Amino acid sequence: ATMIAAGARILESACGPCIGMGQAPATGAVSLRTFNRNFYGRSGTASAQVYLVSPETAAVSALEGVLTDPARTPAPAAIVPERFLMNDNLVVAPVPEGETAQVVRGPNIKPFPLGSQLQGDLAGEVLIVLPDDITTDHIMPSNAKLLPYRSNIPYLSEHCLAPCDAGFPARAREKGGGFIAAGSNYGQGSSREHAALAPLYLGIKAVLAKSFARIHAANLINNGILPLEFADEADYDALAEGALLTIEDVRRQVERAVRTGMVTVNASGRPIAMKLSLSERQARILLAGGLINETRRAANDA
């Protein structure tokens, strides 16, 4: 009550300001935030200037009205209760062993998309050529309009890469999937898995980029999509939308990449050397068509 009376606002422990929902700054305002979200438009206000600070800096600055070094302001002693009350009334216990739970899905909850085992040749067109620093917000926007559909990948996929090219989803469906080409730092920003799930649903087989944000590359692998890096960045400049790509005998190439770190992509008869850094476990995940498929396979073999 004391904090609320002083002007503080208490939010639920969930993805609120993190995805630009609630507590959006005023137009052109400065906002100090204690969570890792300060890339363009992420606060819910495109023109806001968002700075990342420590909780101490945020608290003291809120009191002072300007950005303030918390070391200049003596902090009150922490108050720690002797006992913490625990209430698990809202926790649903697991189904007893041997019993089966019935999963009831509403109309906005669709089955989780799954990849398929890698085999034969992977072939398709380059569906889009993207510049550097494409964020996961570009790949799969997460805003007030789309947030209610996070459990509905078919619907969300209609907006995949729409900030870059509104025609991408329709083109991906028309072509039966294909490949994405991108510049450096592809998949930066929020680590949300939807930026891999929507391309998976649209039939994306691989992303060819100059470099990847680490977590997004892992998410692609976990969904059976190959994250390939150009060994020679000049090959990126030679790719155009509509170019036909083939990864011949993809299963053998992925298995070999564990040792060599390389995969060859055929671009209209011209070989392109691509880097593919994989552990043995990640190779198994790709070969199975994703982490869920590999987990099921391992469980069945046990």
Side-chain angles (χ1 to χ4, degrees), residues 76-121:
I79 302 175
V80 180
E82 293 183 2
R83 297 175 63 246
F84 290 90
L85 299 178
M86 304 296 293
N87 187 335
D88 60 0
N89 288 348
L90 298 179
V91 177
V92 178
V95 174
E97 186 174 354
E99 297 185 16
T100 302
Q102 180 186 6
V103 179
V104 180
R105 292 186 175 94
N108 194 37
I109 301 178
K110 304 300 181 183
F112 202 85
L114 297 175
S116 56
Q117 289 187 13
L118 290 182
Q119 53 190 351
D121 298 344

Side-chain angles (χ1 to χ4, degrees), residues 39 132-136 139 182-192 195 207 209-221 227-229 282:
F39 46 97
D132 295 342
D133 298 322
I134 292 297
T135 73
T136 51
I139 305 168
S184 301
N185 200 25
Y186 180 78
Q188 67 158 327
S190 171
S191 61
R192 90 176 69 89
V207 178
K210 293 181 180 179
S211 64
F212 289 89
R214 178 182 59 84
I215 294 179
H216 184 64
N219 282 342
L220 290 175
I221 291 172
L228 305 176
E229 294 188 16
Q282 288 176 319

Side-chain angles (χ1 to χ4, degrees), residues 118-122 226 228 246-266 271-278 283 286-287:
L118 290 182
Q119 53 190 351
D121 298 344
L122 282 188
L226 279 69
L228 305 176
T246 305
I247 305 176
E248 298 176 351
D249 196 356
V250 63
R251 191 173 191 87
R252 179 182 61 84
Q253 290 212 57
V254 169
E255 291 172 340
R256 188 175 59 189
V258 175
R259 304 186 308 276
T260 66
M262 300 297 295
V263 164
T264 299
V265 176
N266 187 304
I272 298 178
M274 305 295 301
K275 295 183 288 186
L276 178 59
S277 179
L278 289 174
L286 276 178
L287 294 173

Side-chain angles (χ1 to χ4, degrees), residues 118-132:
L118 290 182
Q119 53 190 351
D121 298 344
L122 282 188
E125 293 184 16
V126 175
L127 300 174
I128 191 170
V129 179
L130 299 165
D132 295 342

Side-chain angles (χ1 to χ4, degrees), residues 123-186:
E125 293 184 16
V126 175
L127 300 174
I128 191 170
V129 179
L130 299 165
D132 295 342
D133 298 322
I134 292 297
T135 73
T136 51
D137 271 354
H138 289 103
I139 305 168
M140 189 59 258
S142 178
N143 50 40
K145 174 184 175 182
L146 295 177
L147 183 63
Y149 298 95
R150 284 178 64 84
S151 60
N152 189 337
I153 300 301
Y155 182 90
L156 286 181
S157 70
E158 296 298 315
H159 301 269
C160 181
L161 282 171
C164 303
D165 181 351
F168 173 79
R171 189 162 60 252
R173 291 195 307 274
E174 177 189 351
K175 301 292 184 179
F179 298 87
I180 292 172
S184 301
N185 200 25
Y186 180 78

